Amino acid sequence: MQHTKQAGFTLIELIVVVAIVAVVLAVGMMSLGGRDTQQQRQQWTQAQSLLQMACDQAAFQQRIYLVAVTEQGLEAYYRHQGDWLPAEMKKVVWSETSQMVWQVDDGLKERWQLPEPGWLCWPSGLVSEGKLSLQGLNAAGESLAQQRLRWDEGLNFVFED
């Protein structure tokens, strides 16, 4: 009687390997999907920080500061002897995977001869009210949930979905 050795894998071994691969892929997909919302949170944090920093500088230096909205992002200016000069603050650049919409008081641009539309921070610590809306896009270019960041003249931030 001769015993032959069997070559190959059993059905149980194959099922275990497939299950392990499925778990690894699921964890990988969840971590990639969370990246989009992480980028959105980072954009909000940067926008809030720039607004807060500009308003703090306005109070410390007793100057009017502007947080201006451009197609590329947000940047800060200060008013010196009737001119608007760029402030030495890090700009907020819009993510390529998001579409930004903003609401500003259009009358401010004309009255104050602003270089770009935006929100004014006064030396008293107040800021003109505003709202930013962010429509995120996932890697496939599909829209994610839209979020709004709103603040009042006391710089109290509120998120709206």
Side-chain angles (χ1 to χ4, degrees):
M1 189 179 257
Q2 198 175 31
H3 292 283
T4 58
K5 272 196 153 182
Q6 186 177 359
F9 298 103
T10 66
L11 183 58
I12 301 275
E13 291 170 331
L14 289 174
I15 290 173
V16 168
V17 168
V18 169
I20 290 171
V21 168
V23 168
V24 168
L25 286 174
V27 168
M29 292 299 287
M30 288 186 335
S31 69
L32 287 177
R35 191 178 64 146
D36 295 329
T37 56
Q38 184 179 11
Q39 282 181 335
Q40 278 185 330
R41 269 186 254 129
Q42 184 178 14
Q43 289 265 244
W44 289 131
T45 302
Q46 290 173 348
Q48 282 179 303
S49 297
L50 182 63
L51 277 163
Q52 187 70 57
M53 186 181 304
C55 289
D56 289 347
Q57 288 299 316
F60 292 142
Q61 297 180 6
Q62 291 296 297
R63 290 186 172 163
I64 299 173
Y65 270 70
L66 165 69
V67 176
V69 183
T70 67
E71 291 298 322
Q72 293 79 32
L74 297 175
E75 50 190 275
Y77 294 88
Y78 67 92
R79 189 165 174 96
H80 180 70
Q81 296 179 351
D83 294 325
W84 289 100
L85 304 175
E88 293 184 20
M89 293 183 199
K90 186 175 180 184
K91 298 177 184 178
V92 175
V93 179
W94 302 139
S95 168
E96 295 173 2
T97 59
S98 61
Q99 297 172 335
M100 300 300 283
V101 178
W102 51 87
Q103 290 180 343
V104 296
D105 181 355
D106 292 331
L108 286 178
K109 184 172 182 185
E110 294 171 21
R111 271 193 313 262
W112 288 90
Q113 299 171 345
L114 304 178
E116 299 285 343
W119 304 281
L120 293 176
C121 293
W122 304 96
S124 63
L126 298 178
V127 63
S128 50
E129 294 182 24
K131 186 184 287 190
L132 278 172
S133 298
L134 181 136
Q135 179 73 48
L137 304 172
N138 64 17
E142 301 165 338
S143 294
L144 300 172
Q146 184 177 26
Q147 287 187 323
R148 288 180 192 89
L149 176 64
R150 180 175 51 84
W151 59 91
D152 61 16
E153 62 184 20
L155 209 58
N156 297 308
F157 293 103
V158 176
F159 280 104
E160 303 170 342
D161 286 323

